[in-house]
Amino acid sequence: MMNGHGKSDRPKVPAKFVNKGEAANTSAERDGGKGSSQGKHGEQNTRRTQCRGPQSANSAGSVQSALDRVRKIAKSDKKVQFTNLLHHISNVDRLRAVYFLMKKTAAAGVDGETWAGYGENLEENLQSLSERLQKGGYRAKPVRRVFIAKADGKQRPLGVPVLEDKIVQRSTVEVLNAIYETEFLEFSYGYRPGKGQHHCLDALYMGLFGKVNWVLDADIRGFFDNLNHDWLIKFVEHRIKDKRVIRLIQKWLKAGVMLDGRREETEEGVPQGGSISPLLANIYLHYVLDLWARQRRNDKSRGDMIIVRWADDFVVGFEHRSQAETFLADLKERMLKFSLELHPEKTRILEFGRFAINNRKKRGLRKPETFNFLGFAHICGNNSRGNKKFTVRRHTIAKKMRAKLLEVKTELRRRLHQPIPEQGKWLRSVVDGHCRYYGVPTNLQQLGSFRFQVSRLWYRTLMRRSQKSRLTWKRMARYIERWLPHAKLHHPFPLKRIRV
């Protein structure tokens, strides 16, 4: 439980709030209202979250309306603790809807079950899954460990759950999102419905035009691998008092991983790759970082402060350097308390903002340092209109561009002997996807550079088809013009988007 600034946090969650009574004119059972003044002594009169009567003809609408009631209660009373949620998760209609939303070609887990194979007896499988959830017979299976290359040459471990675990996790996320989307703070953006990476980038862009002179660029070392299970469960129990849902989460945390045919126990951390992992990460950081940072931000006596967070990556802006240094020192202590650690090499304080260029010039220093966030290098600069007003220039991180070009080169080698139209269609999707994400103002030159480098790799690949290749650059230019879209911006300036 979070205490005020300067006081230690209590590891135990507060006592359960008194449940509220159910209104006499409603047939729906909801969680968390007022206790009735009538009834037998010792009876517990609770509001529950869904009608237990016959299913309506429009099952999808009924499932959604049930979550709307949960969302309304969670929003109206921030202290309500929900004691009866499992029937939402195990609802066959919800499980079916989740199944059809899944990616059909997704990798299989340790049991080898695929989306198509599970769907051959879909209704029987879903009914069996629902019954096992209700009776407590559901067992989570270990995730299959795979590794993907990172831009810095290291490997990121991912966990691939089995299909049934994916279904139940996504169903659980839908139900818990109805509660936690009313709880999470406005500067938390990672993996939340209706909040994308460019919303986060826009918020940071606008914040840097305020009273920001110093920036803390922070990174949590191995966050998903070091997340403490005990603290996580305590945080979840602030709002969720359904012991069956708590046990469900614990099953996924303790399921373990399969690596080279050997099962490994997981005493801490959550495997990246599961649908439940981003939500659990947001819950953890909501209590460890967000609420604490909001309290610091609201204390204007120390100076102005901004913060944006995407999953475990966050940027904090400060008015004064001393303010930033105090925040960082306190943050390190707080992270250690909750079994986390800031990365010493990736966490730094740098001078950044409207006056950074002039202030550093007066002190005989070089241009302000840059920082990276969500794939973009953020640079102090002036606009190109001649009035030399401050702006934040955002460029594609060079390391990420090189890594992407290496992927393109490797894939082109694999597609060496495909017809040119097939290669062209694939490259069109690559260039278009790159531009759709990185197509922000001040980054047009980098987009053009990416298109040119892809063209160059394509030309070299086609020349390798034969030692007698007579492909001229003039002919190659026609292929490029036909198949590779020109670099263009897909996102307006943040001020225009926010005004809209």
Side-chain angles (χ1 to χ4, degrees):
M1 181 176 179
M2 303 295 106
N3 286 335
H5 176 62
K7 299 180 181 180
S8 61
D9 300 328
R10 286 177 282 174
K12 295 184 179 180
V13 298
K16 181 178 178 181
F17 296 97
V18 178
N19 286 331
K20 302 178 182 178
E22 181 181 14
N25 61 348
T26 179
S27 62
E29 296 176 355
R30 302 191 184 98
D31 219 14
K34 286 186 179 177
S36 172
S37 59
Q38 302 176 356
K40 297 180 180 179
H41 178 70
E43 278 188 352
Q44 185 183 26
N45 201 349
T46 60
R47 296 171 66 191
R48 301 201 181 266
T49 50
Q50 185 185 27
C51 177
R52 296 268 185 151
Q55 292 183 351
S56 67
N58 189 352
S59 58
S62 175
V63 166
Q64 186 58 41
S65 63
L67 280 192
D68 290 338
R69 293 194 292 270
V70 174
R71 188 178 295 107
K72 184 177 180 181
I73 295 170
K75 186 176 182 179
S76 62
D77 191 346
K78 298 293 186 181
K79 296 182 179 180
V80 165
Q81 294 179 311
F82 293 84
T83 59
N84 190 29
L85 292 172
L86 186 66
H87 62 283
H88 290 294
I89 296 171
S90 63
N91 184 286
V92 175
D93 295 322
R94 187 181 309 284
L95 296 175
R96 184 187 303 109
V98 164
Y99 169 80
F100 283 112
L101 288 174
M102 293 175 61
K103 188 177 180 181
K104 298 180 182 180
T105 58
V110 294
D111 62 355
E113 185 71 82
T114 62
W115 186 90
Y118 194 82
E120 292 177 0
N121 296 298
L122 181 61
E123 294 306 320
E124 294 178 10
N125 289 333
L126 293 180
Q127 190 64 44
S128 171
L129 177 58
S130 176
E131 292 175 358
R132 279 181 279 133
L133 285 168
Q134 294 170 5
K135 296 177 181 179
Y138 167 80
R139 295 290 181 267
K141 294 182 179 179
V143 299
R144 181 169 60 87
R145 176 71 79 197
V146 296
F147 295 91
I148 60 172
K150 297 172 63 176
D152 57 4
K154 299 180 181 179
Q155 289 190 317
R156 183 193 305 278
L158 294 181
V160 181
V162 299
L163 189 78
E164 280 198 341
D165 287 352
K166 292 178 184 178
I167 294 174
V168 181
Q169 286 186 18
R170 292 191 64 164
S171 179
T172 305
V173 168
E174 283 189 9
V175 174
L176 295 187
N177 269 343
I179 299 169
Y180 282 104
E181 280 303 306
T182 68
E183 184 87 3
F184 292 148
L185 302 186
E186 73 282 354
F187 56 77
S188 168
Y189 290 87
Y191 309 108
R192 293 180 57 190
K195 290 197 171 189
Q197 291 171 307
H198 281 281
H199 294 103
C200 186
L201 288 165
D202 288 353
L204 175 60
Y205 181 95
M206 296 301 298
L208 292 173
F209 278 82
K211 295 180 180 180
V212 172
N213 299 309
W214 300 89
V215 163
L216 169 62
D217 178 21
D219 181 83
I220 302 175
R221 171 183 275 174
F223 170 70
F224 284 92
D225 297 328
N226 296 308
L227 188 147
N228 185 278
H229 292 176
D230 293 334
W231 276 113
L232 174 61
I233 295 302
K234 290 173 183 176
F235 293 148
V236 173
E237 287 177 339
H238 274 286
R239 297 304 301 269
I240 311 300
K241 279 296 184 178
D242 189 334
K243 294 298 182 182
R244 299 165 300 174
V245 176
I246 298 299
R247 284 195 295 269
L248 198 59
I249 294 174
Q250 289 173 327
K251 288 178 181 180
W252 292 321
L253 294 176
K254 301 296 184 182
V257 298
M258 292 292 290
L259 183 62
D260 298 329
R262 181 168 39 87
R263 183 180 181 275
E264 297 181 357
E265 298 288 340
T266 50
E267 297 299 328
E268 58 184 12
V270 292
Q272 297 184 64
S275 300
I276 197 70
S277 300
L279 175 60
L280 296 180
N282 276 332
I283 293 173
Y284 201 89
L285 287 178
H286 173 73
Y287 290 102
V288 172
L289 175 64
D290 296 355
L291 294 176
W292 178 78
R294 182 179 66 176
Q295 192 177 46
R296 304 288 289 256
R297 186 186 63 179
N298 291 341
D299 184 5
K300 298 294 184 181
S301 63
R302 307 185 184 194
D304 278 13
M305 167 183 159
I306 67 163
I307 178 173
V308 293
R309 178 176 69 81
W310 181 273
D312 58 327
D313 293 329
F314 56 97
V315 175
V316 193
F318 302 93
E319 186 175 356
H320 308 293
R321 182 184 180 94
S322 59
Q323 181 188 5
E325 292 173 343
T326 302
F327 183 92
L328 178 57
D330 293 345
L331 180 61
K332 288 180 178 179
E333 291 184 10
R334 185 167 180 82
M335 288 290 174
L336 288 174
K337 176 179 180 178
F338 295 101
S339 305
L340 298 176
E341 179 187 7
L342 294 178
H343 199 296
E345 297 177 2
K346 298 181 179 180
T347 300
R348 61 202 175 106
I349 296 174
L350 58 144
E351 192 171 8
F352 199 99
R354 292 180 298 168
F355 309 110
I357 296 177
N358 291 334
N359 288 343
R360 291 178 66 85
K361 190 174 182 180
K362 290 177 183 178
R363 301 198 301 268
L365 301 176
R366 303 175 66 180
K367 293 181 180 180
E369 295 180 79
T370 67
F371 67 91
N372 299 333
F373 188 62
L374 295 182
F376 289 92
H378 290 67
I379 308 165
C380 278
N382 299 317
N383 63 31
S384 56
R385 297 178 182 176
N387 53 15
K388 293 188 177 181
K389 285 187 176 181
F390 167 75
T391 191
V392 178
R393 306 187 71 84
R394 296 179 292 179
H395 294 170
T396 309
I397 298 176
K399 185 184 296 184
K400 286 190 174 293
M401 184 184 291
R402 289 195 297 269
K404 186 61 180 179
L405 289 172
L406 182 59
E407 290 180 17
V408 172
K409 179 180 179 180
T410 303
E411 183 63 17
L412 278 173
R413 292 284 182 89
R414 194 183 70 82
R415 295 172 177 261
L416 178 63
H417 295 291
Q418 284 185 352
I420 288 178
E422 289 188 22
Q423 294 182 355
K425 289 179 182 178
W426 174 72
L427 288 173
R428 175 191 289 166
S429 68
V430 170
V431 175
D432 184 62
H434 183 88
C435 291
R436 286 186 181 278
Y437 182 78
Y438 289 101
V440 302
T442 70
N443 198 39
L444 189 61
Q445 183 175 348
Q446 281 68 28
L447 298 181
S449 175
F450 180 79
R451 180 179 184 266
F452 172 77
Q453 293 298 334
V454 170
S455 303
R456 180 170 167 269
L457 290 173
W458 193 15
Y459 176 69
R460 293 177 62 183
T461 300
L462 294 178
M463 290 292 290
R464 292 175 63 90
R465 281 183 161 188
S466 172
Q467 294 181 352
K468 299 180 179 180
S469 176
R470 297 180 181 179
L471 178 63
T472 63
W473 185 252
K474 183 177 181 180
R475 183 180 175 187
M476 186 67 206
R478 292 199 298 268
Y479 294 153
I480 295 170
E481 186 66 24
R482 179 178 178 181
W483 296 109
L484 301 189
H486 286 276
K488 66 176 183 179
L489 303 183
H490 288 266
H491 303 276
F493 277 99
L495 182 60
K496 292 184 178 179
R497 196 202 305 266
I498 292 174
R499 280 177 177 172
V500 173

